[in-house]
Amino acid sequence: MKLLVTGGAGFIGSAVVRLAVSRGAQVVNLDALTYAACPDNVAPVADSPLYSFAHVDIRDPEALARVFEEVEPDAVLHLAAESHVDRSIDGPGDFITTNIVGTFNLLNAARHYWVSRGRPDTFRFLHVSTDEVFGSLGKEGKFTETTPYDPRSPYSASKASSDHLARAWHETYGLPVLLTNCSNNYGPYHFPEKLIPVVILNAIAGHDIPVYGDGSNVRDWLYVEDHARALLLVLSNGQIGRSYNIGGVNERSNLELVQEICAILDAKRPLGSGSYADQIRFVTDRPGHDARYAIDPARIREELGWSPSVTVSEGLERTVQWYLDNEAWWRPLQQRHGVGRRLGTNV
Ligand code: NAD
């Protein structure tokens, strides 16, 4: 099995690359290496004969056509994207060109390649998306695969557009497309501008720990390796043309999550006096901040037998330990453009 994984130098893509190679798949990691990429994320498999890298931007259709000709993949897992909501508020342009136009380019390149090879029914295109396309929930209810789309940020609107394109390429051209919509991921190699690494790294640096608004926004957290496992399962066993919601069934308000991380740090690296939670500061909310996301993963559980293997408490414990042990990974990334600054208030 030869897989073309886009965005494999990012957080989730690299987990997919590591898992697929460890299971014996041949993997070509296609990535433009934006500010969010870190080639070290695939260091554990980089020397494997099963792994190779293509430095390509999905905004470049000619380069994509060449990659398909050279690689001749059996399947595509499409994860390359601009992924940070706060950056999408300050600069939506890259989200439109990469997430929408880039996905269009990739679908087109995949379609031409698939047609040129006689439309093999074994070919798959898995489009990886987010639960944020469904909008914001009240206190009750969960997103299912039939929840109407209602994106509210430039990021989620760009991902929603890309989902529609992927579905259209299946319905119109017959391309064997699958979709997934997943809840918030966390775990090792999470870029240090996202909530959980920000909390851990600000806490141990003795800085304020920012919590947007009153911290009541609820997210459904999934350990990244459980997501990678789900994606490979959907790719091999999912029904063509269908979408699968993936979630951890691990809801936490942002404030509860931050307090839990502080308690883990209190145990692992005790302060002389007080708690890391004393560093929590409430800051101006994100504009249009969705109140609650929660996934109903019944379809993937019942059709494909997937369920999360890591509870949020175990996963947070592992994640905190990973950041404490891997300063050489995160320290240089803190120097990248915009990291460590408050973004997304410039409206
Ligand atoms: P990330 O920002 O960590 O990584 C994105 C990767 O895509 C980077 O390596 C970057 O270099 C690459 N990339 C960006 N623009 C590119 C372009 N034009 N051409 C080629 N490569 C490009 O993102 P992530 O958190 O790993 O998310 C991966 C995918 O999963 C995204 O599609 C995202 O929407 C989706 N998703 C993320 C989450 C989450 O919680 N992080 C949840 C559900 C779905």
Side-chain angles (χ1 to χ4, degrees):
M1 184 80 166
K2 196 188 280 185
L3 305 179
L4 180 63
V5 178
T6 74
F11 169 48
I12 302 170
S14 65
V16 171
V17 168
R18 294 190 303 270
L19 181 63
V21 171
S22 77
R23 289 183 178 176
Q26 204 174 331
V27 175
V28 178
N29 173 9
L30 183 159
D31 201 295
L33 300 181
T34 69
Y35 83 93
C38 187
D40 286 351
N41 294 6
V42 292
V45 298
D47 293 332
S48 164
L50 294 173
Y51 174 79
S52 58
F53 179 69
H55 189 191
V56 168
D57 194 314
I58 60 169
R59 289 170 290 191
D60 180 347
E62 286 80 29
L64 288 178
R66 281 196 299 276
V67 167
F68 275 93
E69 283 305 311
E70 284 164 24
V71 172
E72 300 195 279
D74 300 307
V76 177
L77 285 111
H78 176 35
L79 294 102
E82 290 290 339
S83 70
H84 191 36
V85 177
D86 288 344
R87 286 187 190 255
S88 83
I89 296 168
D90 291 340
D94 286 345
F95 289 73
I96 306 305
T97 56
T98 284
N99 298 0
I100 305 178
V101 181
T103 298
F104 157 71
N105 290 337
L106 192 69
L107 285 163
N108 245 357
R111 173 186 160 224
H112 288 299
Y113 160 74
W114 176 67
V115 169
S116 75
R117 297 301 188 272
R119 302 173 194 261
D121 56 11
T122 51
F123 184 75
R124 296 287 181 275
F125 186 109
L126 171 53
H127 176 69
V128 178
S129 191
T130 166
D131 60 354
E132 301 191 28
V133 300
F134 299 120
S136 185
L137 290 166
K139 288 204 180 320
E140 303 296 323
K142 290 180 190 284
F143 298 132
T144 70
E145 288 80 0
T146 56
T147 301
Y149 277 34
D150 184 22
R152 293 152 43 97
S153 73
Y155 164 67
S156 55
S158 68
K159 290 297 295 185
S161 305
S162 66
D163 292 13
H164 293 319
L165 292 173
R167 280 199 179 86
W169 258 242
H170 170 64
E171 296 295 337
T172 306
Y173 304 113
L175 189 69
V177 169
L178 298 142
L179 278 96
T180 56
N181 294 90
C182 187
S183 61
N184 281 48
N185 283 217
Y186 70 100
Y189 303 101
H190 206 180
F191 194 73
E193 67 182 352
K194 300 284 176 77
L195 176 63
I196 289 179
V198 165
V199 173
I200 299 169
L201 301 182
N202 281 27
I204 61 176
H207 297 155
D208 288 353
I209 301 171
V211 172
Y212 290 1
D214 62 3
S216 62
N217 304 66
V218 172
R219 301 292 181 261
D220 176 3
W221 292 93
L222 179 67
Y223 195 63
V224 65
E225 291 171 11
D226 276 334
H227 188 190
R229 223 168 25 85
L231 293 177
L232 293 186
L233 186 63
V234 170
L235 186 72
S236 58
N237 294 1
Q239 201 177 310
I240 290 172
R242 216 153 158 75
S243 71
Y244 293 86
N245 280 1
I246 306 170
V249 198
N250 268 315
E251 288 185 52
R252 291 284 190 284
S253 74
N254 286 347
L255 184 58
E256 287 168 342
L257 184 84
V258 171
Q259 287 168 333
E260 199 163 336
I261 294 169
C262 290
I264 295 170
L265 280 168
D266 285 338
K268 285 188 180 293
R269 191 182 276 199
L271 292 165
S273 64
S275 161
Y276 289 97
D278 300 337
Q279 293 162 229
I280 294 173
R281 299 286 177 273
F282 295 96
V283 299
T284 315
D285 208 353
R286 168 187 285 164
H289 202 178
D290 290 337
R292 177 171 164 258
Y293 305 139
I295 283 276
D296 176 358
R299 176 178 286 177
I300 188 168
R301 187 181 59 234
E302 285 160 21
E303 276 186 23
L304 306 182
W306 176 89
S307 58
S309 69
V310 179
T311 65
V312 80
S313 302
E314 283 167 53
L316 285 177
E317 215 274 335
R318 282 191 211 173
T319 304
V320 169
Q321 191 61 51
W322 190 87
Y323 280 88
L324 293 178
D325 294 342
N326 286 280
E327 182 170 349
W329 180 85
W330 53 260
R331 179 74 70 188
L333 301 179
Q334 290 185 311
Q335 306 311 315
R336 293 201 181 166
H337 181 67
V339 178
R341 273 199 299 119
R342 178 70 200 273
L343 303 171
T345 52
N346 184 21
V347 287

